[in-house]
């Protein structure tokens, strides 16, 4: 079985969805440390000729807490919808993207991790991704391990001999060390340049669902 995992982000860029699509099972890493100024609570969209941040606010931000321990502040839904409408009202697939964004913001979850997981599931449904999704927090004791030891642990527990990581982890993890654990490690290199490096919301506004589903397969799995 091929396994992948990643922290939950707010509407991350297209390769994140390719990673989910490439795996037989995907784990939302909800009991990992919250990273301030990262991509967990924000992403970028295009507003005319510039890029702006689209974000969700927290009740209290702390780098000493896990993602699953944080709560959302009121979402200011109308303001966010107006921002997205202003940015993309002329986009060819605006209506579909706007309705998807409405559904995401209508989620009643106040817990950050659960809200982000719900948004991930919404986008997966839209893109036609059928990969089963679980949580690292469901694996008792895994949170007590460090770095790649956590990956070894959930691969062994879930009987996975193939782990796919985002390309950004290529400098962090050793294929040789994973092989010693009986796990083949690959890194996903996306070739879906048409989807861009902005939030997946930008891609959804500018490409049909059918085109985006085709783009999901435009990647290469690289060794370390």
């Amino acid at each position: 079985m091929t396994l992948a995992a990643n922290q939950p982000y707010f509407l991350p860029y297209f390769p994140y969805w390719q990673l989910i699509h490439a795996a037989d099972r995907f784990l939302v890493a909800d009991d990992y440390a919250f990273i301030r100024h990262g991509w967990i609570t924000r992403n970028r969209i295009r507003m005319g000729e510039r890029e702006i941040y689209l974000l969700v606010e927290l009740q209290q931000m702390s780098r000493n807490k896990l993602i699953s321990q944080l709560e959302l502040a009121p979402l200011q839904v109308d303001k966010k919808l107006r921002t997205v409408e202003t940015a993309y009202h002329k986009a060819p697939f605006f209506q579909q993207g706007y309705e998807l964004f409405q559904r995401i913001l209508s989620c009643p979850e106040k817990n950050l991790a659960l809200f982000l997981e719900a948004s991930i599931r919404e986008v997966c449904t839209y893109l036609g991704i059928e990969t089963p999704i679980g949580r690292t927090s469901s694996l008792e004791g895994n949170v007590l391990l460090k770095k790649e030891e956590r990956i070894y642990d959930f691969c062994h527990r879930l009987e996975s001999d193939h782990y796919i990581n985002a390309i950004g982890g290529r400098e962090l993890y050793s294929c040789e060390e994973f092989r010693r654990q009986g796990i083949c490690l690959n890194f996903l290199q996306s070739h879906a340049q048409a989807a861009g490096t902005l939030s997946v919301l930008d891609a959804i506004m500018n490409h049909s669902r059918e085109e985006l589903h085709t783009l999901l397969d435009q990647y290469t799995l690289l060794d370390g």
Side-chain angles (χ1 to χ4, degrees):
M1 181 185 71
T2 300
L3 186 66
N6 213 329
Q7 288 92 335
Y9 300 131
F10 183 54
L11 297 173
Y13 74 155
F14 196 73
Y16 187 99
W17 311 98
Q18 290 180 291
L19 183 68
I20 300 176
H21 176 67
D24 296 318
R25 186 171 181 179
F26 180 79
L27 295 179
V28 174
D30 60 331
D31 57 352
Y32 278 61
F34 176 76
I35 300 172
R36 297 185 67 180
H37 309 303
W39 300 106
I40 295 171
T41 57
R42 64 177 183 169
N43 225 293
R44 295 173 299 130
I45 62 172
R46 190 175 303 281
M47 177 79 79
E49 298 299 317
R50 62 194 179 97
E51 297 175 2
I52 64 169
Y53 284 108
L54 189 65
L55 53 87
V56 290
E57 298 82 7
L58 299 177
Q59 292 282 11
Q60 185 176 6
M61 190 176 295
S62 173
R63 60 184 175 184
N64 298 317
K65 289 188 176 182
L66 304 179
I67 301 167
S68 58
Q69 294 174 327
L70 294 169
E71 298 291 316
L72 290 169
L75 279 176
Q76 298 180 305
V77 172
D78 290 344
K79 180 179 179 181
K80 288 177 173 57
L81 289 173
R82 284 196 301 271
T83 296
V84 166
E85 183 175 11
T86 300
Y88 291 108
H89 66 281
K90 293 183 179 179
F93 300 96
F94 166 73
Q95 194 59 42
Q96 296 94 315
Y98 186 81
E99 290 173 1
L100 173 64
F101 191 50
Q102 279 182 312
R103 291 196 296 274
I104 288 170
L105 295 182
S106 69
C107 175
E109 288 289 353
K110 301 304 180 186
N111 177 272
L112 174 63
L114 294 178
F115 173 83
L116 293 176
E117 180 185 333
S119 72
I120 289 168
R121 291 179 182 276
E122 282 282 0
V123 175
C124 281
T125 298
Y126 184 88
L127 296 177
I129 299 172
E130 298 180 346
T131 305
I133 295 174
R135 301 171 190 151
T136 55
S137 62
S138 69
L139 302 171
E140 185 177 353
N142 182 267
V143 70
L144 302 175
L145 301 174
K146 303 295 183 183
K147 297 183 180 179
E148 60 267 31
E149 294 291 335
R150 298 195 68 177
I151 301 175
Y152 303 155
D153 179 63
F154 54 65
C155 281
H156 293 323
R157 290 209 225 178
L158 299 174
E159 299 182 343
S160 171
D161 59 2
H162 186 194
Y163 185 75
I164 305 176
N165 202 84
I167 193 67
R170 207 173 182 190
E171 297 179 359
L172 301 176
Y173 302 131
S174 163
C175 285
E176 183 60 35
E177 291 298 325
F178 272 74
R179 276 194 291 270
R180 291 193 184 101
Q181 295 288 328
I183 304 165
C184 173
L185 173 65
N186 287 124
F187 300 92
L188 189 145
Q189 175 67 68
S190 175
H191 305 304
Q193 296 182 3
T197 60
L198 300 176
S199 165
V200 69
L201 190 61
D202 183 84
I204 287 169
M205 294 289 187
N206 288 292
H207 300 275
S208 70
R209 295 174 71 169
E210 294 75 18
E211 184 179 4
L212 291 173
H213 188 73
T214 299
L215 290 175
L216 287 171
D217 290 316
Q218 294 188 11
Y219 63 83
T220 300
L221 297 180
L222 305 176
D223 292 330

